[in-house]
């Protein structure tokens, strides 16, 4: 039955040769000793440029994959620390009922992002854990800008106009965050569950916007 | 010699109408082998049909329980095991929410909507939304109530978020755990036809809390009467969903225990809503009251002195 197969054999004297190349990804740097020798300024500038490029992608959301492909968590860390520093209540005299502390903001942002990522993975999305954290963290950028603007506006005299300006700014930045994050995240979900995956993102940014809007300096 | 009439074929109609017409008749349903025929006379009228419905639905849940056993076969330390609890589509979540808002008498929420596919998405995110809805609405309502006073300085009251989260999540997970344990214990004593798994109970409780989200937002209105009317409406709707879900599970038991269980479920639900209203929402100040209480006092004093 299998007699015919005996004809198929590679004779010993035909050499098998060729070249095997492994495509080098740009992130594999440990084999590349040149980055060890470069100056610290180069290293920092390279990472800062990557972070800056992603900020630009968030500010002008297009359907591009840069945020997803080369994720990093520097941007989210910088944004989260900035936001938490600006949001924390200053003194201890309003300890009981005041706004959030630094740790509380930090925990809300990171645990919120982790929960949303777990949720979208459990629903069957095909985005990796850190990619999703990266996108959610970077899309806090508009809200951080809103916090800066609110703090500046609060230096002026208090009153209903003051509140209206802050409300308007926060609403616009909230919408911007949602649009930016769904532009990146929505494609990774199966189509009949998109709303289920997007709603927690909406809740997350809503809570952060609420914390920004209700910030009152002592 | 048989009369011609005797040879006429007699129309019997379908089983449901003939059962309604003659409720004490013995019925044997042939849909499933192994189902016992109903020998005792069922209660008359519509509830006879409900019992019929119950048994048919019970087969459905038996079969789907078997299927469920086959579905969740991944070991619990793998990610796929937990993915089976999130196997819902958007329209299914909407249907379940709608079912919790419109309790139809006779329709069991678990059988109708969950059908052995309990999900954890609904309970988790409804509870999260409810936590923030209560905390934010309470803050807004306090702000609006105390707005006019000169000494009032607005505080965001962030600490209340963590308190609200503890309360809501403890209610949504510990009460189903206790109820499930109780039902399992009663099941070992009295053979109940309908029994629920722990996740199905968590699911019912989670979806029944959905009505409190618009209720919490409407509680911003600083009128005591409006708030209490909202409490009654929300309690009516979600309490009836819970009562109708768990009544079939305790029905075969001792009458007093069954009633006590349902009453406890509704009472705990009421305790949750009234407690949240009392803790997170300050009582609306009725500024016109001192003037009106002064006037009756004066008239009473005048009546006494005269």
């Amino acid at each position: 039955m299998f007699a015919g197969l005996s004809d198929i054999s590679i004779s010993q004297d035909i050499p098998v040769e060729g070249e095997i190349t492994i495509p080098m990804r740009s992130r594999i740097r440990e084999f590349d000793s040149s980055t060890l020798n470069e100056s610290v300024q180069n290293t920092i500038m390279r990472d800062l440029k990557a972070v800056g490029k992603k900020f630009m992608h968030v500010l002008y959301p297009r359907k591009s994959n840069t945020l997803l492909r080369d994720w990093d968590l520097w941007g989210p860390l910088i944004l989260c620390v900035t936001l938490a520093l600006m949001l924390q209540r200053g003194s201890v005299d309003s300890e009981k009922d005041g706004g959030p502390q630094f740790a509380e903001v930090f925990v809300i942002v990171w645990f919120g992002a982790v929960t949303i990522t777990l949720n979208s993975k459990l629903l069957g999305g095909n985005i990796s854990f850190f990619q999703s954290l990266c996108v959610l963290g970077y899309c806090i950028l508009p809200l951080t800008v809103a916090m800066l603007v609110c703090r500046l506006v609060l230096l002026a005299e208090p009153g209903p106009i003051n509140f209206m300006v802050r409300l308007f700014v926060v609403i616009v930045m909230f919408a911007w965050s949602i649009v930016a994050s769904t532009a990146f995240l929505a494609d990774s979900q199966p189509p009949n569950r998109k709303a289920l995956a997007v709603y927690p993102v909406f809740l997350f940014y809503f809570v952060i916007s609420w914390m920004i809007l209700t910030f009152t300096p002592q | 010699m048989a009369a011609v009439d005797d040879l006429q074929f007699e129309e019997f109609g379908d089983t449901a109408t003939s059962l309604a017409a003659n409720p004490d008749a013995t019925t044997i349903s042939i849909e499933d082998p192994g189902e016992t025929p109903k020998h005792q006379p069922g209660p008359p009228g519509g509830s006879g049909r409900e019992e019929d419905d119950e048994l048919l639905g019970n087969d459905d849940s038996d079969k789907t329980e078997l299927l469920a056993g086959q579905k969740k076969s991944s070991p619990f330390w793998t990610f796929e095991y937990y993915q089976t609890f999130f196997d819902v589509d958007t329209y299914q979540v909407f249907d379940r929410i709608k079912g919790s808002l419109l309790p139809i008498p006779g329709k069991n929420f678990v059988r109708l909507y969950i059908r052995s596919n309990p999900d954890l998405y609904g309970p988790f995110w409804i509870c999260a939304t409810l936590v923030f809805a209560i905390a934010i609405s309470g803050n807004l309502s306090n702000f609006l109530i105390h707005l006019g006073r000169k000494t009032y300085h607005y505080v965001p009251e962030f600490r209340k978020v963590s308190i609200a989260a503890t309360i809501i999540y403890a209610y949504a997970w510990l009460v189903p755990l206790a109820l499930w344990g109780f039902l399992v214990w009663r099941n070992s004593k009295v053979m109940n036809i309908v029994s629920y798994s722990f996740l199905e109970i968590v699911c019912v409780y989670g979806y029944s809390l959905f009505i409190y989200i618009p209720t919490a937002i409407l509680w911003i209105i600083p009128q005591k009467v409006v708030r209490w009317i909202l409490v009654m409406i929300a309690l009516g709707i979600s309490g009836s969903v819970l009562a109708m879900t768990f009544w079939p599970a305790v029905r075969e038991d001792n009458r007093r225990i069954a009633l006590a269980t349902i009453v406890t479920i509704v009472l705990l639900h009421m305790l949750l809503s009234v407690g949240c209203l009392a803790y997170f929402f300050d009582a609306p100040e009725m500024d016109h009251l001192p003037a009106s209480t002064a006037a009756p006092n004066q008239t009473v004093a005048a009546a006494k002195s005269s």
Side-chain angles (χ1 to χ4, degrees):
Chain A
M1 293 146 282
F2 298 110
L5 287 179
S6 62
D7 293 337
I8 304 169
S9 60
I10 303 173
S11 65
Q12 304 290 338
D13 48 354
I14 299 179
V16 176
E17 57 182 80
E19 268 188 28
I20 301 177
T21 53
I22 304 172
M24 288 280 288
R25 288 193 60 213
S26 59
R27 293 186 74 86
I28 300 179
R29 295 204 176 93
E30 48 264 40
F31 303 126
D32 189 0
S33 62
S34 61
T35 62
L36 272 182
N37 295 328
E38 69 181 9
S39 63
V40 173
Q41 184 188 8
N42 271 355
T43 315
I44 294 182
M45 284 314 294
R46 186 176 56 232
D47 280 331
L48 274 182
K49 279 210 194 91
V51 168
K53 213 163 73 157
K54 293 204 186 70
F55 278 173
M56 284 297 123
H57 275 281
V58 170
L59 286 179
Y60 303 107
R62 291 180 302 266
K63 280 217 189 305
S64 85
N65 286 334
T66 312
L67 264 190
L68 287 182
R69 251 183 310 130
D70 299 326
W71 59 265
D72 74 272
L73 291 179
W74 282 115
L77 184 65
I78 296 173
L79 288 172
C80 182
V81 166
T82 314
L83 193 63
L85 276 176
M86 287 197 285
L87 268 179
Q88 64 171 346
R89 59 174 172 262
S91 53
V92 290
D93 52 8
S94 64
E95 211 177 75
K96 238 170 45 114
D97 283 340
Q101 289 280 24
F102 179 91
E104 287 171 338
V105 177
F106 211 80
V107 159
I108 283 192
V109 169
W110 285 102
F111 270 93
V114 165
T115 309
I116 296 176
T117 307
L118 277 179
N119 176 65
S120 84
K121 283 187 79 75
L122 283 168
L123 282 173
N126 59 356
I127 192 171
S128 99
F129 184 76
F130 286 107
Q131 281 173 347
S132 171
L133 277 187
C134 168
V135 168
L136 287 169
Y138 270 103
C139 291
I140 298 183
L141 175 67
L143 287 171
T144 312
V145 169
M147 184 74 223
L148 279 166
V149 171
C150 281
R151 276 217 104 148
L152 290 174
V153 170
L154 277 170
L155 292 176
E157 54 175 88
I161 305 179
N162 194 312
F163 176 73
M164 282 302 168
V165 170
R166 283 187 291 139
L167 181 68
F168 176 72
V169 168
V170 168
I171 288 180
V172 165
M173 293 302 177
F174 166 66
W176 202 333
S177 284
I178 301 262
V179 164
S181 58
T182 47
F184 294 115
L185 284 179
D187 285 337
S188 66
Q189 286 296 321
N192 50 346
R193 295 181 185 181
K194 275 204 175 48
L196 296 185
V198 167
Y199 170 71
V201 178
F202 171 86
L203 186 64
F204 176 64
Y205 289 127
F206 181 79
V207 169
I208 297 183
S209 312
W210 175 258
M211 288 198 295
I212 291 175
L213 186 60
T214 61
F215 172 76
T216 47
Q218 300 309 317
Chain B
M1 201 155 115
V4 179
D5 287 327
D6 289 344
L7 299 173
Q8 286 284 355
F9 186 74
E10 199 175 328
E11 291 286 330
F12 282 103
D14 60 323
T15 52
T17 50
S18 53
L19 188 64
N22 194 6
D24 292 334
T26 305
T27 54
I28 298 178
S29 340
I30 315 179
E31 284 91 7
D32 229 58
E35 176 175 323
T36 59
K38 250 171 44 172
H39 282 300
Q40 69 250 46
S47 49
R49 287 183 64 176
E50 194 202 336
E51 304 244 5
D52 216 10
D53 234 334
E54 272 297 312
L55 280 177
L56 288 175
N58 183 39
D59 296 332
D60 197 15
S61 71
D62 270 350
K63 270 186 275 194
T64 41
E65 266 174 33
L66 282 175
L67 285 174
Q70 293 166 9
K71 221 170 43 161
K72 301 180 180 29
S73 58
S74 314
F76 67 89
W77 55 82
T78 58
F79 193 69
E80 285 72 31
Y81 176 74
Y82 297 102
Q83 264 185 326
T84 56
F85 301 138
F86 282 77
D87 193 15
V88 276
D89 291 334
T90 310
Y91 77 92
Q92 280 176 320
V93 172
F94 280 150
D95 276 344
R96 291 174 188 195
I97 292 179
K98 243 185 354 201
S100 78
L101 289 177
L102 304 167
I104 306 176
K107 295 261 174 88
N108 186 332
F109 181 77
V110 174
R111 189 159 49 86
L112 198 59
Y113 292 104
I114 300 193
R115 280 181 214 253
S116 208
N117 183 20
D119 69 306
L120 286 181
Y121 177 89
F124 183 80
W125 287 108
I126 290 178
C127 288
T129 313
L130 184 61
V131 164
F132 289 112
I134 288 187
I136 291 178
S137 304
N139 197 233
L140 260 181
S141 142
N142 292 350
F143 170 70
L144 288 174
I145 286 177
H146 300 301
L147 188 51
R149 287 209 260 126
K150 291 283 191 247
T151 54
Y152 177 67
H153 180 71
Y154 169 74
V155 281
E157 289 177 324
F158 189 76
R159 188 74 20 133
K160 295 207 166 165
V161 171
S162 32
I163 297 175
T166 314
I167 295 176
I168 302 282
Y169 275 101
Y171 180 81
W173 286 86
L174 292 182
V175 172
L177 185 66
L179 186 61
W180 174 73
F182 175 75
L183 287 178
V184 162
W185 173 59
R186 292 312 299 178
N187 236 352
S188 65
K189 301 214 160 170
V190 175
M191 196 55 216
N192 281 325
I193 295 184
V194 178
S195 68
Y196 298 124
S197 71
F198 171 61
L199 282 171
E200 285 170 349
I201 301 184
V202 166
C203 221
V204 175
Y205 263 87
Y207 280 103
S208 74
L209 283 177
F210 180 82
I211 183 72
Y212 285 114
I213 297 176
T215 309
I217 296 176
L218 285 175
W219 273 341
I220 297 179
I221 302 174
Q223 295 293 329
K224 233 181 160 115
V225 174
V226 170
R227 286 181 177 179
W228 279 99
I229 292 179
L230 287 168
V231 169
M232 289 297 139
I233 295 177
L235 186 66
I237 293 180
S238 59
S240 59
V241 167
L242 288 176
M244 282 194 292
T245 304
F246 290 109
W247 180 244
V250 293
R251 196 170 40 190
E252 276 86 22
D253 207 342
N254 186 354
R255 203 74 178 173
R256 296 220 310 239
I257 294 189
L259 278 175
T261 311
I262 302 291
V263 165
T264 311
I265 291 176
V266 176
L267 244 142
L268 281 173
H269 221 59
M270 185 172 78
L271 202 63
L272 176 79
S273 67
V274 170
C276 283
L277 178 62
Y279 184 73
F280 293 102
F281 294 82
D282 288 346
E285 311 269 332
M286 288 177 277
D287 289 318
H288 59 279
L289 203 57
S292 60
T293 47
N297 278 341
Q298 287 169 358
T299 52
V300 164
K304 274 193 186 156
S305 60
S306 63

